[in-house]
Amino acid sequence: MDYYIARMQKEHWPEVRDIYEMGIMSEHATFETEAPSWELWSATHDLACRLVAIDTTTEKVIGWAALAPVSGREVYEGVGETSVYIHQDERGRGVGGTLLEALIEKAETEGYWTLQAGIFPENDYSLRIHRRKGFREVGVRERIGKMQGRWRDVVLLERRSQVVGVEEEDNYDD
């Protein structure tokens, strides 16, 4: 492996933002039309669950992954939404799968029991890596939002931890 995974720092933001903007331009990664400021992005993502992949030769960020809590309500404290973005020139090296696996491990150490992802159906790569890492499809949100005047669907996936929240499952009411 010619890259390593590190915790994202504020100084990584310019490269992270550039990779995020590549995803925006692809029109298959997000409904966003421009990358937010560091302050806005940082305020909505879990501080402990932000990772970057860094090329060992150039020391450049080649991908990133982060987790955003899905709600501020206490009952959903252990549920987060994944984001995984890879530089367009670095795809096919296993960076996305490695980042997602590291994000899952970090999320579990931080007490997350469910991770979810909303992915455009056209984003085969992202769907594949999420499925390989234990995410299952729970449905398709049809015509959930418009992008450039065109309705788009989003595939909703989730992954239930086999580590966090398992002891409480005996109390589950059917």
Side-chain angles (χ1 to χ4, degrees):
M1 198 164 63
D2 50 354
Y3 57 88
Y4 61 94
I5 306 301
R7 187 167 177 188
M8 183 189 298
Q9 304 295 325
K10 184 177 181 178
E11 57 266 20
H12 293 128
W13 180 246
E15 292 174 284
V16 167
R17 184 188 59 234
D18 289 347
I19 294 168
Y20 190 26
E21 288 173 347
M22 288 176 195
I24 291 169
M25 290 179 64
S26 78
E27 297 184 359
H28 293 312
T30 179
F31 279 108
E32 296 296 334
T33 57
E34 61 184 47
S37 67
W38 164 257
E39 292 74 21
L40 181 58
W41 186 89
S42 184
T44 59
H45 290 80
D46 187 312
L47 180 62
C49 297
R50 304 172 183 183
L51 304 171
V52 289
I54 300 178
D55 184 282
T56 55
T57 304
T58 64
E59 289 296 312
K60 298 275 188 199
V61 174
I62 59 173
W64 62 273
L67 199 61
V70 299
S71 174
R73 294 178 59 199
E74 186 176 340
V75 69
Y76 296 115
E77 267 182 26
V79 182
E81 184 167 3
T82 64
S83 292
V84 180
Y85 287 78
I86 309 305
H87 190 286
Q88 63 193 13
D89 297 337
E90 303 296 335
R91 295 181 185 143
R93 294 174 56 188
V95 178
T98 302
L99 273 167
L100 183 56
E101 189 171 311
L103 184 63
I104 291 166
E105 289 173 15
K106 186 62 179 163
E108 287 180 336
T109 66
E110 294 299 318
Y112 285 89
W113 62 80
T114 298
L115 300 181
Q116 67 183 39
I119 303 171
F120 290 125
E122 299 85 359
N123 194 339
D124 294 328
Y125 175 76
S126 190
L127 288 169
R128 253 192 333 272
I129 67 166
H130 278 80
R131 287 179 177 131
R132 284 184 188 148
K133 300 303 175 186
F135 284 73
R136 67 181 181 90
E137 185 175 322
V138 293
V140 176
R141 301 184 80 189
E142 295 178 358
R143 299 169 48 97
I144 192 66
K146 280 188 176 182
M147 179 179 275
Q148 295 187 359
R150 184 173 66 103
W151 286 105
R152 299 290 299 268
D153 296 346
V154 171
V155 179
L156 186 59
L157 298 110
E158 73 173 13
R159 182 187 186 280
R160 178 67 187 218
S161 174
Q162 298 301 305
V163 179
V164 180
V166 175
E167 67 281 353
E168 290 93 16
E169 288 196 17
D170 292 338
N171 299 329
Y172 180 71
D173 287 331
D174 293 320

